[in-house]
Each structure stands twice: as C-alpha cells, then as structure tokens.
Amino acid sequence: ELALREAQGFPPYARIARIVARSRDRDLCVGAMRELARKGRGVLPGEIELLGPAECALGMIAGSQRWQLLLRAPSLAALHAAVRALLAGYKAPSAVRLEVDVDPVQLL
C-alpha cells in the first residue's frame, strides 16, 4: 500500500485537501465548484495540483448534490497556504455549503 501511495502522490508522501460543495440545487453546486476551480488555476502556485471539479463517489446524500475539488501539495504548510489562497474572498451561493477536509481518510 505504501509503495502505491508514493507512486500516486497520496499521503503520507504528499498532502491532500478535499473541498466538497453540497447543495439541493445541482446547478448551483456544480457552478460553485467550477468557479472555485477557475479561481484556483489563477492563484495557486505550480507546486499545488488541483484535481476536479468532479462529482463525489457518493454524489447525493440526504437529498444534497455533492461535488469536490482536491488539492495536492508536497507539504502541510504549502497545502494550508493553498487552501487559504483559494478560499480568500470566495463567497459561495447561500444555498451551497463548502466543507474542507485535510488529508481525508476516505474520498467517499
């Protein structure tokens, strides 16, 4: 498992933050994630990899649509700085809730 994680750049060999948007309105949810990804491509340094947006593996829970972005960084400090830069000044629509999970245990 460790060799596979190292080859794919997953913890403990890199750090990951998962940003999940939840909303009962699919279009708002997808739009919020696309806007956040577009912002990220403009403000994140080259050492930070932005993956997504993509629908979560469990795309709907309790009537809410779920979409995600993943940020991969070489260090925890770089990851925290990237998340701060990405979310600085960003205001999701009121019907969209954002959740941030650093080094998530699972991606479901």
Side-chain angles (χ1 to χ4, degrees):
E1 176 72 17
L2 284 177
L4 181 61
R5 286 179 163 273
E6 184 176 24
Q8 294 178 342
F10 282 101
Y13 300 100
R15 304 308 292 258
I16 292 179
R18 178 179 186 224
I19 302 173
V20 176
R22 295 176 181 252
S23 179
R24 293 194 179 278
D25 184 319
R26 183 181 193 282
D27 292 336
L28 279 178
C29 190
V30 173
M33 287 282 85
R34 286 184 177 155
E35 181 182 341
L36 199 55
R38 191 171 27 257
K39 179 184 178 191
R41 289 185 180 89
V43 300
L44 296 176
E47 69 178 349
I48 306 300
E49 187 177 6
L50 176 66
L51 306 168
E55 188 172 17
C56 295
L58 298 175
M60 183 180 285
I61 294 179
S64 289
Q65 298 286 322
R66 300 171 69 240
W67 279 69
Q68 68 184 359
L69 286 174
L70 296 178
L71 299 175
R72 185 170 15 204
S75 70
L76 188 59
L79 183 63
H80 281 198
V83 170
R84 274 192 304 275
L86 182 60
L87 296 179
Y90 177 75
K91 177 88 169 105
S94 62
V96 176
R97 180 177 172 208
L98 292 182
E99 303 167 353
V100 178
D101 188 1
V102 175
D103 288 339
V105 173
Q106 59 183 348
L107 296 178
L108 294 177

